[in-house]
Structures are given as C-alpha cells and as structure tokens.
Amino acid sequence: MTKDVIALTDRMPDAWSVLAGLLAGGPDLHVRSAAEGAVIQLCDAEGRPLVSIEAPLLLHVPGEAHRLLGATVAEGEQKWWTEARASTAVPEAERLAGAFAARLATLLGGTVWPPDAPGADDPAHPVDTSQITAVPTPAAAQPAVDVLTDKVTVVLQDRPVIAMTSWLSEALRATLDSERALQIVTPRHCRLSLPTSTLLTGPPTRWVVQDPDRGYYDGLTGAVLRWQDGAFEAARDADGQTPVAPAFTDVTRTGERQLLLSFRTVHQPHAHLVLGGALEAAWQALAGELPTGWGTAEPANLPWSRRHLTDLAYERAPQPTWTVVVGSADRPALATLRVLRTPDGVEEDVTLAVGFRDGEKPPVSAVADLAAELAARHGLRTLLAQLREARADLTVPPRFEQPPVPFGFALGPAEVAEAGTDIAARPPLPAAPVRLGTAARPGYHYPLGDGESAEGWTAFETLLRHLRGAP
C-alpha cells in the first residue's frame, strides 16, 4: 500500500535541514529535482526514484492538518507540512521516507505522521541503502504513480482522508493528458475529501477499495471489481450482473446532514473586479461565518483573501483556475471554486457543502434570500440547493450514502430571458416562484420542497422540462 510520510514542523525547513534529512539514506544515494524544482527525489545509483519530497507548505489555516490526518494531529497549530512519498516497489524506501521526516521534526520541532512510520524511531542512524535498487520508471509515470498500464494510472493510498493534494492533482492531469483513467486504491477505512470525490467522474476513473471479503469494490457505487486487462473493471456474475459488495451496504444512520449548493455567476471583466464575493455571501448565509482558507490543492494553506484569489485567476487567464476553500472546525464547510473566461465574461462555478451534526437544523429557508442577493449583486446565472443525509465532516466513506434531494432552484435574469419570461414565471409546480430583482429584468427562485422527500426530484424534473419547452 502507499508509503507516505509527512513532517509537521514548527519552523520552516531550510536548505541545511532538508540536506540533513536527505542524508538519512547515507552518502551513496543521489538527489535530483523534478516538477520544475517543486519535487526533490532520492534516487539509486541508476537515477531511479526511491523517495519523492514535495516543497514545504506553511499551513496558515487552523485545523487543516487535523482535518486531513485525523486525531493524531493537534488542531489549530500553525505548521510547515513537508510530504515524502516512498516508492512502493522498494520495501526499504518507506524507512528512508520515515527517517527523512523524523530528522526534519527533530531539527525543527514538530511531529511525524504517521507516528509509527518505519524509520522514524531512530533518525540519528542512516538507513542501510547498500542493497537498495528501484525498478525502472516508465516515461509517462509521475512520482505519485504506483502502477501504469496502457489504460490506467493506479495510485495506492492509505490515509484517513484521501485529499486532492498537489501531487495527486498533478497525477490526475498527467493521466488525462496521456488518455488514461485514474484509479485510486485504498483500504476500507479510508475516506475521500469532497474535492477528490468530485474529480472522480465515473468509470473507468474509480475509487477502488480493498475488501477482505470480496477482493475489491468501487467506493462510490459498491460494484465488485476485478483486475483484468490492465485495469480495475466491474465483475460479472453468472447472469451477467455486477454484484454489490456487502461492505458497501453496511450503513448506520447518524442523523447528520449536508446542505449542498451549486451555483454559477458571471461578471463583466473590468479593472476593479474582485472575485469570491458570491462565495462569501453563500458561506455567511449557510455557515454563519466567512471562509478561513483557500489554496490550489489540499491542504488549503493560505488565509482566505478575495484579492489574492483574483490575482491568481488573472495571472492564469485565459486558462481556468481551480481552488479549494475551507471553513472553521466549528462549522464544517468546504467549497470548490472554478474561475474561467467565457464569451459572456468571467465565470465563477461554485460547489459549496456545509455539514450539520445530529440535532442541528440546516438553514433551508435561507436559500431564497441568498438567491435574491446573488441575483442582485453577483451576476447569478443558475443555483441548485440540495440536502442529503451524510457525514457532517464532509468526507466520503466507501459506503452507500443517500443521494441528495433538491429543495430549491434559481435562475438569474439572463437565464430567465433565454427561457422566456412568461415560461419562467409560470412553472407547473405546487409552490409559486419567487421573483428576484425587478419586474423589467426578473430572476426567479423555485421552491421544490423541504429536501427530505424524493418528491423534490419530481418537482425539479418537471421544472426543467417546462423551462426547456419539453412536453
């Protein structure tokens, strides 16, 4: 399984401390850089990578290490996050990664995750590398890749939460560029972060879960899987059907809820445009506070700043900018925000999830007022609000979760004009729509239910057929 070790240090790893960590393998190993200098690799005599070390990140955002690594990490402490990933082809490589991380923690103050990482118990003594050699690395492989075939890129992971880290994001990009699918393999106790789950778009891209009873199954659908023809694919029984793993349906109801909001806004580009205002408004309305941090990967390492977000999107234009935004531990909330230039202007696509513990009531009624604010001030085009029974911490377990139920939908003035004002104003729904904005240029919010009954889907489908002019 994966061999990742993370050093969480109080002080910044400088060149001397990194060098001391690299010497954990003794003087016989070679060092090279990759990914335009963002990754340092310890290599054998033939130049084949044993351990890949990411550039350190300063976690300005309280609670990010705790969110992704679990209870073994103290919450609220500002740390430097330095990640080392050992080659799964070399048993001794994990000891190298552990010794490297432990040396950093000893020199700079801090801890190592996981606490029992091999090699971390005695960092003063170099790891014996005299007999180490690595297998050749395929040309299309990335440092994060464990298995590469003509069909798929396979990444092995064993963390409490499989996050969309910078290296996993790079592996996904390289996989798509090579016209392959990404398959992430984990034990059954792992969960996905929301950004990771949203980027796994369906077969042949998969979350593959090891099941002691059935071998492997898809963590998002429960389908039993088999490795065949160079990829994990759905197994078939004698009737040609794909069985569902029993572990996937072993569910205990907790009473926790998630409120999910997906919306799109468009702004006319100008010199004073500052992005992120719509996301702030939604966060305040549904979570009762503002975001605390953001970044282009997980962990989100930067304090929330609309100006810095805008500057990054401006620098990357016309290419799109994808970011993850996080909230405080008091009210679990997480969003992905994609900024891109379109013929209509500067578009922001937002998916926001807010978690509610058992006994807490999600603010379903606040969505109508939020839609009015987004239409009046932030260029709202479309909005969909849903409620689901799922973990309040917003992670995705490898078990069945109830699908979300829509309870509200909104159209901004531009979409109302495109659908036709008369059509948009008179949907065949039990509840009348609420007008957003002026009568001359209206938008509409459509109540679809309370988010608890499947009738919300029926109302949503009826509304979409009506807006599209379908019979």
Side-chain angles (χ1 to χ4, degrees):
M1 191 46 64
T2 186
K3 300 175 181 179
D4 300 340
V5 185
I6 299 169
L8 296 167
T9 60
D10 300 327
R11 301 190 300 278
M12 181 183 72
D14 56 15
W16 290 108
S17 58
V18 171
L19 177 61
L22 293 173
L23 287 173
D28 297 329
L29 297 182
H30 299 267
V31 177
R32 74 178 185 189
S33 64
E36 299 181 348
V39 176
I40 297 175
Q41 293 180 319
L42 275 173
C43 304
D44 68 1
E46 302 299 323
R48 292 172 291 205
L50 301 171
V51 178
S52 299
I53 301 161
E54 297 280 332
L57 283 176
L58 176 58
L59 300 183
H60 291 282
V61 183
E64 272 296 270
H66 181 83
R67 178 176 74 88
L68 299 177
L69 300 180
T72 58
V73 177
E75 193 168 359
E77 297 181 10
Q78 182 171 290
K79 296 287 187 180
W80 285 89
W81 172 300
T82 306
E83 187 161 336
R85 180 174 172 83
S87 169
T88 54
V90 183
E92 296 86 352
E94 187 176 12
R95 294 192 63 83
L96 277 175
F100 166 82
R103 287 192 171 196
L104 285 190
T106 300
L107 291 170
L108 304 172
T111 58
V112 173
W113 182 92
D116 58 351
D121 56 342
D122 189 15
H125 292 85
V127 177
D128 182 7
T129 61
S130 60
Q131 303 300 317
I132 286 181
T133 186
V135 297
T137 304
Q142 299 294 312
V145 171
D146 294 294
V147 178
L148 188 70
T149 74
D150 291 339
K151 293 182 178 180
V152 299
T153 296
V154 179
V155 174
L156 308 180
Q157 281 278 271
D158 186 0
R159 299 187 182 191
V161 178
I162 311 304
M164 188 48 60
T165 58
S166 58
W167 61 259
L168 185 56
S169 177
E170 175 61 19
L172 176 61
R173 183 202 62 76
T175 296
L176 297 178
D177 288 347
S178 65
E179 297 183 349
R180 293 176 172 88
L182 178 66
Q183 298 190 335
I184 302 174
V185 181
T186 76
R188 202 166 68 184
H189 61 258
C190 297
R191 291 166 279 126
L192 301 185
S193 73
L194 208 56
T196 301
S197 67
T198 58
L199 292 175
L200 297 182
T201 54
T205 296
R206 294 184 186 275
W207 176 20
V208 181
V209 179
Q210 289 184 322
D211 181 4
D213 300 323
R214 300 299 292 265
Y216 298 92
Y217 68 94
D218 190 305
L220 298 178
T221 68
V224 174
L225 304 175
R226 297 285 184 270
W227 179 263
Q228 50 191 8
D229 300 325
F232 284 100
E233 297 181 356
R236 304 289 180 184
D237 59 19
D239 298 325
Q241 301 297 313
T242 298
V244 174
F248 184 75
T249 58
D250 183 14
V251 178
T252 301
R253 302 186 69 173
T254 64
E256 295 174 296
R257 295 285 189 274
Q258 293 177 7
L259 196 160
L260 307 175
L261 196 70
S262 301
F263 60 90
R264 180 169 60 95
T265 63
V266 178
H267 316 276
Q268 293 305 308
H270 56 79
H272 302 291
L273 175 63
V274 180
L275 303 173
L279 177 57
E280 275 195 349
W283 211 291
Q284 185 69 59
L286 303 182
E289 58 187 26
L290 294 178
T292 59
W294 73 291
T296 56
E298 294 179 284
N301 65 308
L302 301 172
W304 172 247
S305 168
R306 292 178 57 192
R307 170 50 63 188
H308 291 163
L309 169 68
T310 304
D311 291 344
L312 177 65
Y314 180 81
E315 292 171 4
R316 293 189 172 186
Q319 298 299 316
T321 296
W322 181 91
T323 59
V324 58
V325 185
V326 298
S328 70
D330 295 335
R331 171 56 65 210
L334 191 148
T336 58
L337 168 62
R338 186 169 181 261
V339 180
L340 65 159
R341 284 297 304 267
T342 70
D344 292 334
V346 181
E347 180 175 307
E348 293 179 275
D349 285 334
V350 176
T351 300
L352 169 63
V354 185
F356 297 89
R357 302 171 184 89
D358 185 22
E360 295 181 325
K361 186 176 181 180
V364 171
S365 60
V367 171
D369 290 340
L370 172 62
E373 180 179 357
L374 296 181
R377 300 180 53 197
H378 300 286
L380 177 68
R381 292 300 178 92
T382 61
L383 177 149
L384 175 63
Q386 303 177 88
L387 195 64
R388 70 181 306 185
E389 183 177 335
R391 292 178 64 103
D393 65 7
L394 307 178
T395 61
V396 181
R399 293 184 294 275
F400 174 77
E401 291 188 313
Q402 295 289 341
V405 177
F407 65 86
F409 184 70
L411 292 178
E415 268 59 32
V416 166
E418 182 177 337
T421 303
D422 290 341
I423 291 176
R426 296 177 175 82
L429 298 176
V434 178
R435 192 182 74 196
L436 311 175
T438 66
R441 197 169 179 271
Y444 286 100
H445 173 256
Y446 303 93
L448 302 175
D450 59 5
E452 302 288 347
S453 168
E455 293 178 359
W457 276 114
T458 302
F460 186 44
E461 292 169 0
T462 299
L463 173 62
L464 292 183
R465 287 198 302 270
H466 173 76
L467 293 174
R468 292 166 180 166

